[in-house]
């Protein structure tokens, strides 16, 4: 099969012909229909992810059609259209048994622990626990765009924060994660404040659900959010992952508010300062969100089918595999609005 591959961290990514994957016991092989290009792939290519063994095929935001079944796989059949969470659970550890496959002790992560979907075919392990049927109304491209960003934001806003109508929600950072969180919070009936330092991203955020915007380069974010929400927000999401956005996201909460960390903390931002005095005095909750379990997808799929959520609005461009191989090493240089999805292999 054709695959985008690198043989050393920060080295060239080339299109190669490699051996087709074979299904493992309990697994399947998918013909990839579409796969998203994500900054997490860039982190992997740089060498930030200890799970990656070289040579490596990236790609973790995928949807496709089952073309081969491994031994023991009877829950799905050849020809099924499916997607899969980027953190897939083993189905048998303590976390999986409690329904929390997103923090499984033995995670299968296509594009990290194993070869991913920047290829014509991808092997998926623990398929019975993790595959999600795609409704006919949802295209491969839309399903791929749910990727890691949209599902992690869905879990953050809907399940971890339990956002409900009338809540004030602040979203720090209007990249793919942040825009997803804004759309989801608005769909759940919240009043949404978008924060970024880029006016064009803030303008776009208003077209997909933000009610108010704050430019952090021009205003004091904590004061501005507190003023707009008359005392602080019920829910705040750090969708970027920096010391500043993490601090602001906790400090702009109202009493008993919930901070959800979605943006990954890496490099110099690895150990952020936390205003712990506010956490204690105001009984704040500080939580993370790390993907979403396959069994939690149907609620989100229904919202997409009914048009309450329109993740396709966050797709910026459909590109061929060759272009993804060229763009991936530059992902730290461009921060344009919209997710790039590969749908030609
Ligand atoms: Zn597990
Ligand atoms: Zn991703």
């Amino acid at each position: 099969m054709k695959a985008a591959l690198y043989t050393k961290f920060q080295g060239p990514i080339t299109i190669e012909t490699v051996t087709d994957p074979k299904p493992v016991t309990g697994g399947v092989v998918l013909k990839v229909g579409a796969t998203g290009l994500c900054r997490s792939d860039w982190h992997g290519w740089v060498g930030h992810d200890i799970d990656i063994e070289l040579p490596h095929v990236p790609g973790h935001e995928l949807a496709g059609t089952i073309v081969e079944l491994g031994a023991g796989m009877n829950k799905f059949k050849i020809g099924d259209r499916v997607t899969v969470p980027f953190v897939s659970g083993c189905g048998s550890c303590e976390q999986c048994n409690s329904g929390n496959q997103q923090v499984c002790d033995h995670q299968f992560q296509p594009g990290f622990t194993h070869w991913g979907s920047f290829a014509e075919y991808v092997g998926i392990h623990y398929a019975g626990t993790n595959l999600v049927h795609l409704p006919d109304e949802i295209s491969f491209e839309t399903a791929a765009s749910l990727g890691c960003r949209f599902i992690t934001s869905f879990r953050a806003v809907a399940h971890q924060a339990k956002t409900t109508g009338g809540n004030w929600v602040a979203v720090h950072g209007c990249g793919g994660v942040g825009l997803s969180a804004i759309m989801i919070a608005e769909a759940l009936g919240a009043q949404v404040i978008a924060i970024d330092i880029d006016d064009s991203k803030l303008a776009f955020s208003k077209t997909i659900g933000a009610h108010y915007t704050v430019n952090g380069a021009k205003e004091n974010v904590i004061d501005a959010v507190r003023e707009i929400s008359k005392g602080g927000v019920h829910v705040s999401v750090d969708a970027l992952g920096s010391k500043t956005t993490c601090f602001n996201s906790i400090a702009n909460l109202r009493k008993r508010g919930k901070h959800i960390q979605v943006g990954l903390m890496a490099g110099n931002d690895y150990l952020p300062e936390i205003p712990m005095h506010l956490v204690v005095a105001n009984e704040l909750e500080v939580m993370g969100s790390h993907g979403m379990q396959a069994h939690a997808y149907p609620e989100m799929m229904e919202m997409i089918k009914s048009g309450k959520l329109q993740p396709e609005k966050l797709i910026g461009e459909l590109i061929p595999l060759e272009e993804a191989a060229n763009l991936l090493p530059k992902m730290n240089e461009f921060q344009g609005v919209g997710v790039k999805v590969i749908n030609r292999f």
Side-chain angles (χ1 to χ4, degrees):
M1 68 169 178
K2 209 166 136 187
L5 183 122
Y6 55 88
T7 54
K8 66 173 190 184
F9 294 117
Q10 302 180 36
I13 302 172
T14 53
I15 307 296
E16 306 287 344
T17 300
V18 298
T19 311
D20 288 358
K22 284 277 153 223
V24 298
T25 298
V28 300
V29 172
L30 302 182
K31 180 174 178 17
V32 182
T35 184
L37 177 62
C38 172
R39 204 154 172 272
S40 301
D41 297 310
W42 176 85
H43 278 294
W45 170 78
V46 169
H48 290 163
D49 197 306
I50 53 164
D51 290 323
I52 293 178
E53 287 179 22
L54 300 172
H56 186 67
V57 176
H60 59 282
E61 307 188 335
L62 63 112
T65 309
I66 298 178
V67 291
E68 268 193 274
L69 302 174
M73 173 42 56
N74 45 25
K75 223 172 137 181
F76 292 86
K77 59 183 194 305
I78 288 174
D80 283 355
R81 298 169 75 251
V82 294
T83 187
V84 64
F86 73 101
V87 176
S88 288
C90 70
S92 55
C93 71
E94 179 189 350
Q95 296 305 330
C96 286
N97 285 335
S98 73
N100 288 295
Q101 290 85 353
Q102 78 285 358
V103 288
C104 167
D105 293 337
H106 313 289
Q107 296 170 15
F108 167 79
Q109 296 188 18
F112 298 102
T113 62
H114 293 73
W115 278 15
S117 50
F118 285 13
E120 290 176 283
Y121 300 96
V122 61
I124 302 295
H125 296 210
Y126 313 130
T129 303
N130 299 295
L131 291 186
V132 177
H133 275 296
L134 272 188
D136 290 340
E137 299 89 334
I138 300 181
S139 69
F140 286 140
E141 289 81 359
T142 298
S145 79
L146 302 176
C148 65
R149 292 160 276 210
F150 203 87
I151 62 162
T152 300
S153 291
F154 192 87
R155 177 166 167 75
V157 175
H159 299 157
Q160 294 290 72
K162 299 183 173 62
T163 300
T164 55
N167 279 173
W168 281 99
V169 174
V171 177
H172 297 258
C174 294
V177 169
L179 292 172
S180 304
I182 289 164
M183 182 184 285
I184 294 158
E186 196 273 340
L188 294 170
Q191 290 284 307
V192 186
I193 306 169
I195 300 113
D196 204 285
I197 55 171
D198 180 333
D199 280 329
S200 66
K201 287 185 182 175
L202 290 172
F204 184 75
S205 77
K206 283 206 153 182
T207 70
I208 53 106
H211 301 94
Y212 300 88
T213 60
V214 173
N215 185 324
K218 299 175 188 168
E219 295 177 73
N220 178 304
V221 171
I222 298 166
D223 291 347
V225 171
R226 286 187 169 281
E227 190 178 325
I228 294 167
S229 59
K230 298 181 178 60
V233 291
H234 300 87
V235 172
S236 190
V237 177
D238 176 8
L240 179 71
S242 76
K243 284 182 176 172
T244 304
T245 49
C246 177
F247 188 96
N248 288 346
S249 178
I250 297 171
N252 69 190
L253 288 169
R254 72 202 297 133
K255 288 183 178 176
R256 298 180 57 77
K258 295 173 187 160
H259 161 81
I260 320 290
Q261 187 67 39
V262 180
L264 300 175
M265 309 301 283
N268 291 334
D269 297 296
Y270 190 62
L271 283 174
E273 262 180 52
I274 305 285
M276 199 53 86
H277 62 290
L278 295 177
V279 174
V280 176
N282 295 337
E283 291 197 348
L284 307 180
E285 290 183 60
V286 175
M287 287 179 275
S289 176
H290 186 243
M292 186 170 77
Q293 320 92 308
H295 66 72
Y297 271 59
E299 176 191 355
M300 180 183 71
M301 291 296 196
E302 284 305 314
M303 290 176 77
I304 296 172
K305 272 167 70 177
S306 71
K308 265 177 108 175
L309 290 175
Q310 297 178 300
E312 65 277 8
K313 283 188 173 174
L314 304 179
I315 297 177
E317 208 181 340
L318 299 173
I319 60 173
L321 185 62
E322 288 77 5
E323 195 175 336
N326 291 332
L327 287 174
L328 197 157
K330 300 175 200 151
M331 286 229 41
N332 212 30
E333 294 165 25
F334 65 87
Q335 292 283 322
V337 171
V339 177
K340 292 187 190 335
V341 175
I342 302 150
N343 67 348
R344 281 159 280 159
F345 296 86

